[in-house]
Amino acid sequence: PPGGVADGHERAWLHDRFLPPDVLPAQWMDDVGERGDFLDRRYRTVGVNSRGRGADERVDILLAADGKLAEDAGPVAVSLVKTIRVEASGCTVYVRWALEFDRALTQSVDFAVECNLSFASAVVDEGWIQTPDGERHRCDATIVGAAGSTLRFGLTARGAVGYVHADAPVRFDTAPIYTLAMPVGKPANRAFQGSALMVRLNLAAGTQLAKLSLEIASQPVHGAREETDD
């Protein structure tokens, strides 16, 4: 967690989570407040569809899982379908979620997707994250509640740029990831690894169906405006 000890969690892409709207990065990094049970759930493969050939080929992988969401009024059954599309070009991954609850929600909750960014460098000055308002932050900064649809990130030294774009107004939270490095014959030390990114879609009380789509790309995506640096 930010300012704390080394991170002991598995940090991968596309973890599906349900969080209280007021939970902060230092909390969700430690799974405090988690209200769903999808973090350790195994998804079933419903289908794999391929279209096109060669450089035009794209593959859709359809995954599904059933779980529960904890509410004060009692648990809510959740049906979650996730479609992941990859293209031969390798520039963009498209992910679409469809959620159905067995009854209307009685309280607000954030459907959250954990997407962690590895900057491939322990030199934190090389990486940056740009929020939808155009403000640029160091990659080891904690960003709370940057509202918008497109987050931009990159490595200054290598000129690499990436984008995470949502098809709905979402909230982006980030927090730095530190792990415990144990080199042979040397003392253990706390090493920077990247940034944990949480994409949060608020579901208001009364919601029974919800959808979210993300584009994760290494080039400008729909709705993302390329910025020029001063």
Side-chain angles (χ1 to χ4, degrees), residues 18-51:
F18 290 91
L19 301 173
D22 60 350
V23 75
L24 298 175
Q27 298 170 303
W28 57 249
M29 286 281 283
D30 270 347
D31 298 340
V32 173
E34 183 69 45
R35 291 170 57 182
D37 62 355
F38 286 86
L39 267 178
D40 299 316
R41 188 167 296 283
R42 295 182 66 88
Y43 287 57
R44 58 187 183 275
T45 301
V46 177
V48 178
N49 299 308
S50 177
R51 295 182 182 180

Side-chain angles (χ1 to χ4, degrees), residues 23-226:
V23 75
L24 298 175
Q27 298 170 303
W28 57 249
M29 286 281 283
D30 270 347
D31 298 340
V32 173
E34 183 69 45
R35 291 170 57 182
D37 62 355
F38 286 86
L39 267 178
D40 299 316
R41 188 167 296 283
R42 295 182 66 88
Y43 287 57
R44 58 187 183 275
T45 301
V46 177
V48 178
N49 299 308
S50 177
R51 295 182 182 180
R53 290 187 176 182
D56 295 324
E57 185 178 10
R58 66 186 191 189
V59 178
D60 289 341
I61 304 168
L62 188 65
L63 305 173
D66 299 311
K68 295 199 179 291
L69 167 65
E71 282 201 321
D72 294 342
V76 182
V78 184
S79 174
L80 191 156
V81 177
K82 179 161 57 177
T83 304
I84 301 175
R85 172 176 292 176
V86 294
E87 298 182 343
S89 67
C91 294
T92 308
V93 175
Y94 303 89
V95 191
R96 183 173 66 251
W97 289 262
L99 304 168
E100 183 174 1
F101 305 98
D102 69 342
R103 60 172 172 80
L105 301 181
T106 61
Q107 56 196 104
S108 176
V109 68
D110 284 355
F111 172 62
V113 182
E114 186 178 347
C115 304
N116 296 285
L117 310 175
S118 173
F119 287 91
S121 172
V123 182
V124 296
D125 290 341
E126 290 186 359
W128 50 266
I129 298 171
Q130 185 169 301
T131 52
D133 60 6
E135 185 174 354
R136 186 171 288 194
H137 305 260
R138 285 169 53 105
C139 60
D140 61 337
T142 297
I143 303 169
V144 181
S149 294
T150 303
L151 194 80
R152 185 169 175 250
F153 57 93
L155 282 169
T156 302
R158 303 182 189 182
V161 179
Y163 302 83
V164 177
H165 175 71
D167 70 341
V170 294
R171 166 180 164 177
F172 294 108
D173 289 354
T174 78
I177 302 171
Y178 291 90
T179 58
L180 194 62
M182 293 182 286
V184 177
K186 296 182 180 180
N189 62 85
R190 193 164 166 262
F192 174 77
Q193 295 293 327
S195 291
L197 167 65
M198 197 71 78
V199 183
R200 302 173 65 163
L201 175 68
N202 183 253
L203 307 180
T207 298
Q208 193 160 6
L209 297 172
K211 293 182 179 180
L212 174 66
S213 294
L214 293 182
E215 294 177 54
I216 303 156
S218 58
Q219 60 187 16
V221 297
H222 175 70
R225 180 168 58 89
E226 180 67 63

